[in-house]
Amino acid sequence: MSDALNPVQQDAVRCTDGPLLILSGAGSGKTRVITHRIAHLVREKGVSTSRIMALTFTNKAAGEMKERVEKLLGGAMRSMWIGTFHAISARILRREGHWIGYERDFIIYDTSDQLTVIREAMSNLMISEDRCPPKSARSRISHAKNGYVDPEAFLSSGSGPFAEDVAKIYRAYQQIMRARNAMDFDDLLVNVVALFQQHAGVLKTYQDRFRYLLVDEYQDTNHLQYMLTKLLAARHRNLCVVGDDDQSIYQWRGADITNILNFERDYPEAEVIRLEQNYRSTQTILKAAAAVVKHNRTRKEKKLWTENDAGKPISVLQGVDERDEARRVLAAIERERTEGHRGFGDFALLYRTNAQSRALEDELRNAGIPYVIVGGLRFYERREIKDVLAYLKLVANPRDALSLRRIVNVPKRGIGDATMLKVQDFAVEKEIGLYDALGRAEEIVGLSGAMTKHLKTFHQHIEAFREQKTNLSVDQLAQEIVAGVGYIEDLQKDRSDENQTRVENVRELLSAMEEFVERSEDASLEAFLSEVSLFTDIDTWDEERDAVTLMTLHSAKGLEFPVVFITGLEDGLFPIIRADGESDLEEERRLFYVGITRARQRLYLCYALQRRRWGSLGYGAEPSRFLREIPKELLEYETPRLDEDASFRSRSGRTPYPPRRHSARGKKQAVAPAGEEDQTASGDSVRYVPLEDGTFPFDVDSWVIHPSFGRGQVVEKSGLGTSTRLVVRFGDGRKKRLMAKYAHLEAG
DNA sequence: ATACCCTTCATTTTT
DNA sequence: TGAAGGGTAT
């Protein structure tokens, strides 16, 4: 990219006052313009950074923006509010939520937490899950919120099947969330809009403070975000929105493309600037992108151009099935690597659905190629991470019954479901929270003395953490908790690979917290919890790593790679057609457009003639109609090589690469079990003598025979009498935990 | 309490 | 297909 801004970019930078719509084509240097614009405001116009707010969709975009502005201005931009809509809303609500009945320490529920609450609401209402699937309730509630529709309005609008049920669930759900001082993602936006609408004074403070407002990816704003933007900008009207209607790919989530299409109607005095020079891709790639998106009707006409070379044709790869497709991708990667002198980090493999990553992943792993998967299984959604966070959440907010339930018996404290039911009954009877009920465990009838003690101990433990909360930083507090409850030790009791990974993840979390404390001005527990709740996988994606990147087309938005493979280009998959036959072809096409324009030099379009979808159901597929929308002269079909070599490889799973270890986040490595050789040597024979009380005489190191596992050696023994438990290592190296009284062991 | 078997779900995309 | 969660036998 050239150093100086081009004339249009300069216009966009200098046009600071009044509403401005920047239509920025893919690869047109959008981020550069935004950051220079902010720097211009500060340096040339003397605007204080504290008066600028920039809203983005992802933390990554926000972080990048902040970093680049800091670089331009040479200093930390503490006072400037750059963040995602959700993060900024959370920040405002931490300060002002009390106006609308939330406490400062409200917690943010993720989508699985949401589901739990919905189930709870449904069971209270006696609505069966067959009648109204919780997930569909969730999505309809979310839609309602995105349209700023409350339960009552939802009911009167009476839309869709079971509208009454959903309205009831919606209301009950909100009641539960309120009682727990909790908000879901949508609530963050709903509440900040409600706050501003109901409290003019509060709104005025923010309107006055933020004289310059900037919104990135405006084409993806939903109605709530639109309202929020409008409210904030109403006073100064210095609102700059940046976007590209051709890259609107979140309508399914409530994004309203008319926000960008109607900007000029909302702000008649708005300037419009079009960034149309592309600095990223070859002419060939741009031509293909333009030809595709031209098929859409609802869009603003624009003409992207570039001074770059024509570049190579776009390659089309055909596989017989998804494995074959994957192998062809790998072959192309290898060719690019040797001929094009590229590193693994230059490649991106994009797909429509996360499930498609498997075949690619399998082949990459076989070949020993390092790769990173973005999305899919998220760090903060892992069990161990959620456990630790649940402790923190409970410490932050004892009303968070969800977190309480999650960890009350983790690690095991002998507090089971039956006990918690009694606690719950007591809590309901006394009209107190679950947590407070634990503190009064001695009053609960029907609990054994030991159980009461367990509950009290747990309560005291948490109380102690709550006291420490004020003197300790978040990371120290987390360390105290992890150590205090023996979380890691508990994991290490079972030394499986899986648990080892879990321990590492917990440590990773702890170090992430240290980092958080170092870099944040507000290092409070609440701020940390807010941040992690709003974190996604793409945010941690490390572009420096020399590894092939795998991700969905959606995740790829905003990124670029020298070489891009778009896989699974089959009708029905991409464009996707759902089970009900519904498909938004224009949005799918925009998604394809986004994918194409991620590529700088080389683009590969791949499909398979047959693909397994949900297992055995293989379906024959037509190549995607989108392929036909690209002019033939831009394409180069790779001769399908369906020779015996390919089929041989398909069976043996061999590839030209030697297997090598690599780490792919979130995927457990296929590690061969620690091979213990056959134990054929006869050890000391222990006579099988069943004792009167049913105990068994086996000790550590003695040999036993199990009716189904065969012969093995006792490596651990715990418990006494009838509850004797043994860990036995059998012939194939597998260790089994056995309850001696059930195992039918014989001496051997 | 654990281990295994069964069912179900996911397969659209995410803050 | 395979992961994950529930239920049941041990």
Side-chain angles (χ1 to χ4, degrees):
Chain A
M1 191 188 295
S2 62
D3 261 9
L5 295 165
N6 70 36
V8 188
Q9 291 178 328
Q10 283 177 32
D11 284 349
V13 167
R14 294 210 189 99
C15 179
T16 52
D17 287 37
L20 170 67
L21 167 62
I22 302 177
L23 288 169
S24 65
S28 62
K30 176 188 72 175
T31 310
R32 234 166 98 75
V33 167
I34 297 175
T35 51
H36 275 84
R37 196 168 182 279
I38 294 173
H40 178 82
L41 279 172
V42 175
R43 229 171 10 209
E44 313 296 328
K45 298 256 172 171
V47 177
S48 158
T49 50
S50 65
R51 295 183 156 269
I52 302 172
M53 181 191 283
L55 295 157
T56 67
F57 276 82
T58 64
N59 298 299
K60 190 172 174 17
E64 204 173 295
M65 199 182 290
K66 194 162 196 167
E67 201 174 295
R68 286 171 70 168
V69 171
E70 284 175 352
K71 217 168 165 186
L72 282 174
L73 291 174
M77 294 295 108
R78 280 263 165 74
S79 57
M80 190 161 67
W81 284 36
I82 297 185
T84 63
F85 272 99
H86 291 85
I88 298 249
S89 300
R91 192 165 171 184
I92 295 172
L93 289 168
R94 295 253 176 252
R95 303 175 170 212
E96 320 287 351
H98 61 91
W99 294 103
I100 52 170
Y102 285 93
E103 284 167 38
R104 195 183 178 284
D105 55 12
F106 68 84
I107 37 145
I108 301 169
Y109 276 15
D110 69 16
T111 44
S112 63
D113 300 335
Q114 260 183 299
L115 218 50
T116 313
V117 176
I118 285 176
R119 290 216 165 91
E120 208 176 313
M122 288 178 68
S123 101
N124 290 345
L125 292 165
M126 315 264 271
I127 297 174
S128 89
E129 300 199 357
D130 321 315
R131 190 160 106 185
C132 180
K135 284 195 173 157
S136 104
R138 177 178 65 187
S139 89
R140 292 177 65 191
I141 290 170
S142 173
H143 257 98
K145 288 183 181 178
N146 281 323
Y148 203 51
V149 171
D150 65 18
E152 279 62 40
F154 183 90
L155 184 59
S156 56
S157 75
S159 56
F162 312 118
E164 266 178 52
D165 285 344
V166 178
K168 278 188 211 155
I169 297 166
Y170 184 6
R171 192 183 308 122
Y173 171 83
Q174 290 305 107
Q175 277 166 3
I176 297 175
M177 296 291 278
R178 276 268 176 187
R180 297 204 187 154
N181 199 26
M183 298 190 201
D184 62 29
F185 292 140
D186 300 319
D187 288 334
L188 292 171
L189 302 174
V190 170
N191 286 330
V192 86
V193 169
L195 166 77
F196 283 160
Q197 286 192 337
Q198 291 160 22
H199 298 271
V202 181
L203 171 62
K204 190 166 178 303
T205 315
Y206 285 83
Q207 283 177 334
D208 287 344
R209 167 160 178 190
F210 294 105
R211 280 181 52 204
Y212 291 91
L213 220 63
L214 198 145
V215 181
D216 192 15
E217 309 277 18
Y218 195 64
Q219 77 281 356
D220 285 329
T221 47
N222 64 25
H223 187 61
L224 284 173
Q225 289 158 334
Y226 168 82
M227 288 173 86
L228 174 57
T229 309
K230 200 168 173 180
L231 285 166
L232 280 172
R235 188 173 161 78
H236 292 292
R237 295 180 84 80
N238 294 327
L239 170 64
C240 170
V241 304
V242 189
D244 177 4
D245 49 306
D246 285 337
Q247 294 188 61
S248 162
I249 54 173
Y250 284 111
Q251 278 177 56
W252 56 272
R253 206 173 85 191
D256 187 353
I257 197 169
T258 56
N259 291 346
I260 193 165
L261 295 176
N262 292 341
F263 187 79
E264 293 159 85
R265 194 198 59 195
D266 291 332
Y267 301 90
E269 76 273 34
E271 295 277 338
V272 182
I273 291 177
R274 291 161 185 269
L275 301 177
E276 293 180 315
Q277 181 175 3
N278 174 293
Y279 294 92
R280 180 186 296 155
S281 311
T282 65
Q283 288 193 20
T284 304
I285 290 167
L286 275 193
K287 273 188 201 162
V292 166
V293 81
K294 211 175 64 199
H295 285 79
N296 278 355
R297 302 203 58 113
T298 38
R299 65 184 288 260
K300 284 179 185 267
E301 182 58 35
K302 56 187 76 69
K303 40 185 189 309
L304 266 188
W305 59 281
T306 183
E307 288 175 352
N308 293 345
D309 294 339
K312 293 194 173 161
I314 294 163
S315 296
V316 181
L317 265 44
Q318 174 190 291
V320 274
D321 57 16
E322 73 275 10
R323 302 189 62 83
D324 190 44
E325 178 194 39
R327 278 191 295 272
R328 288 175 196 282
V329 168
L330 258 64
I333 289 177
E334 181 56 13
R335 200 181 329 110
E336 289 281 343
R337 260 168 49 77
T338 49
E339 291 172 15
H341 305 287
R342 301 184 193 277
F344 289 123
D346 291 341
F347 300 95
L349 274 42
L350 309 182
Y351 35 78
R352 180 64 240 265
T353 68
N354 273 313
Q356 286 166 254
S357 70
R358 171 155 295 119
L360 295 164
E361 216 181 321
D362 286 347
E363 292 301 318
L364 288 162
R365 186 187 300 136
N366 271 337
I369 295 179
Y371 65 92
V372 201
I373 297 187
V374 177
L377 338 90
R378 260 161 244 125
F379 184 71
Y380 287 102
E381 277 169 22
R382 278 171 216 175
R383 203 220 303 167
E384 61 278 16
I385 301 303
K386 289 199 81 163
D387 284 346
V388 176
L389 290 180
Y391 272 101
L392 289 167
K393 285 182 181 176
L394 184 62
V395 169
N397 175 11
R399 275 156 64 185
D400 182 6
L402 190 78
S403 294
L404 170 62
R405 281 175 192 284
R406 179 175 190 100
I407 43 109
V408 72
N409 202 26
V410 178
K412 298 241 179 335
R413 300 184 176 91
I415 305 173
D417 293 346
T419 306
M420 284 310 286
L421 268 177
K422 285 175 197 157
V423 177
Q424 162 119 38
D425 287 345
F426 177 78
V428 170
E429 186 199 317
K430 299 282 179 205
E431 294 182 320
I432 56 174
L434 212 49
Y435 179 76
D436 295 330
L438 292 182
R440 291 163 61 179
E442 66 278 0
E443 298 172 42
I444 304 176
V445 287
L447 287 183
S448 69
M451 194 54 71
T452 307
K453 201 167 175 196
H454 281 140
L455 296 177
K456 293 285 282 187
T457 310
F458 174 78
H459 184 264
Q460 283 158 10
H461 235 119
I462 300 294
E463 280 298 298
F465 294 138
R466 280 166 56 71
E467 275 163 33
Q468 292 183 62
K469 179 181 127 180
T470 39
N471 336 325
L472 296 181
S473 59
V474 213
D475 58 322
Q476 290 168 330
L477 179 64
Q479 275 164 18
E480 283 294 314
I481 291 174
V482 170
V485 305
Y487 191 82
I488 288 184
E489 290 80 351
D490 183 59
L491 283 176
Q492 284 173 335
K493 268 188 209 152
D494 173 5
R495 301 192 61 82
S496 62
D497 289 348
E498 202 185 4
N499 275 359
Q500 202 46 48
T501 316
R502 294 211 159 111
V503 172
E504 281 162 24
N505 285 338
V506 172
R507 298 219 165 101
E508 200 176 318
L509 174 68
L510 292 175
S511 65
M513 296 182 77
E514 274 173 43
E515 200 188 304
F516 170 84
V517 170
E518 277 165 29
R519 91 182 126 78
S520 308
E521 48 181 315
D522 178 5
S524 68
L525 176 57
E526 289 78 15
F528 175 77
L529 289 175
S530 257
E531 181 170 298
V532 299
S533 303
L534 299 172
F535 221 70
T536 68
D537 229 36
I538 187 80
D539 301 324
T540 55
W541 175 67
D542 174 10
E543 48 206 293
E544 300 301 310
R545 233 180 109 189
D546 193 27
V548 175
T549 302
L550 280 73
M551 63 176 120
T552 62
L553 286 141
H554 283 86
S555 304
K557 193 174 71 164
L559 305 176
E560 61 175 44
F561 299 87
V563 185
V564 168
F565 293 81
I566 300 177
T567 66
L569 273 163
E570 296 130 43
D571 252 22
L573 182 60
F574 192 24
I576 203 157
I577 296 165
R578 279 164 290 164
D580 55 9
E582 286 288 306
S583 179
D584 182 344
L585 208 56
E586 297 219 343
E587 177 144 319
E588 293 294 306
R589 193 177 278 114
R590 287 191 293 269
L591 190 55
F592 188 40
Y593 175 81
V594 166
I596 294 172
T597 53
R598 297 311 95 197
R600 283 166 54 186
Q601 292 143 16
R602 286 288 270 140
L603 176 64
Y604 287 84
L605 302 176
C606 323
Y607 62 90
L609 296 171
Q610 204 183 337
R611 180 178 301 271
R612 252 174 285 271
R613 239 172 130 182
W614 338 289
S616 55
L617 279 173
Y619 83 104
E622 290 285 304
S624 173
R625 67 192 75 183
F626 293 158
L627 278 171
R628 293 197 297 275
E629 295 175 358
I630 299 176
K632 287 206 171 44
E633 64 269 22
L634 303 176
L635 300 177
E636 172 188 76
Y637 281 82
E638 204 165 278
T639 334
R641 291 171 309 173
L642 306 178
D643 47 48
E644 75 273 20
D645 180 46
S647 57
F648 167 74
R649 282 210 248 136
S650 108
R651 257 176 274 120
S652 72
R654 279 285 154 78
T655 64
Y657 302 90
R660 176 155 37 111
R661 286 207 75 175
H662 65 280
S663 71
R665 265 229 347 232
K667 269 286 158 183
K668 224 185 89 197
Q669 295 299 303
V671 179
E676 213 76 76
E677 293 312 315
D678 250 11
Q679 320 226 338
T680 42
S682 64
D684 293 353
S685 165
V686 177
R687 205 159 287 281
Y688 175 55
V689 188
L691 303 179
E692 298 256 328
D693 61 358
T695 58
F696 296 81
F698 304 120
D699 282 316
V700 172
D701 289 343
S702 61
W703 289 87
V704 294
I705 292 173
H706 185 277
S708 48
F709 300 130
R711 192 158 177 280
Q713 190 175 23
V714 178
V715 290
E716 253 179 74
K717 182 180 177 181
S718 57
L720 292 168
T722 51
S723 62
T724 300
R725 272 170 298 173
L726 303 172
V727 177
V728 182
R729 189 172 55 212
F730 290 98
D732 59 355
R734 281 293 186 162
K735 285 183 191 170
K736 292 277 175 204
R737 233 164 240 283
L738 303 168
M739 197 90 180
K741 72 172 164 170
Y742 297 126
H744 298 299
L745 293 176
E746 286 184 44

